[in-house]
Amino acid sequence: MNYDPNIQDAVRQIRTVIRDLPSGQRLFIENKLDRISSQSKRAIRRGAWHVDQQHTEHYEQTHDQIAKRESAIKTVMQAMLSGRKVSYLDEKEFHVSQMHTTITKIRRKIEKKNLPYILCDEVFHVGENNTPSKKYWLIRKEEDGIC
């Protein structure tokens, strides 16, 4: 992620200098540097200062981006309500970049609005390395079946 090059350079220089410190002191300083880095990135995203337009324009979400994300969440939820099981393999179909984030937003919406659904999941394995992943679907609370 790009952020103010002056901060980035300063953090890099400090990390170089502290290499020879004892482990406890070095880790303490590295943790503080990580905190400074993350806070400066967050400040740029929130508009506290602008490094330059080309680095910050992808942080600002437009109305269209927010509307597309909400539309994708609704589409995924409708697919699951119709009995479909969705996974990260369906990201392109639903035009989402991270299905797990979409599922988290659906889970929060169900809890917040106290909707009569249960979000179920099932582990499955993908690829040559049998990488574990999850399928998700919704059932109504009235149904006695367990996920």
Side-chain angles (χ1 to χ4, degrees), residues 96-129:
V96 294
S97 60
Q98 297 177 338
M99 184 62 83
H100 63 277
T101 303
T102 304
I103 296 298
T104 300
K105 289 181 183 285
I106 291 171
R107 180 177 283 126
R108 286 184 186 158
K109 183 182 276 189
I110 290 170
E111 290 172 2
K112 184 177 178 183
K113 295 183 177 183
N114 200 16
L115 298 175
Y117 303 111
I118 299 172
L119 183 64
C120 301
D121 59 34
E122 172 185 24
V123 176
F124 70 101
H125 298 279
V126 180
E128 295 175 5
N129 298 330

Side-chain angles (χ1 to χ4, degrees), residues 1 31 43 50 62 134 140:
M1 175 174 288
N31 286 339
H50 294 284
T62 64
K134 283 190 175 182
R140 288 192 149 295

Side-chain angles (χ1 to χ4, degrees), residues 68-69 72-73 76 90-99 102:
K68 284 180 183 177
R69 182 176 58 232
I73 291 170
V76 170
D90 301 316
E91 288 177 346
K92 288 185 181 179
E93 176 186 344
F94 293 111
H95 304 289
V96 294
S97 60
Q98 297 177 338
M99 184 62 83
T102 304

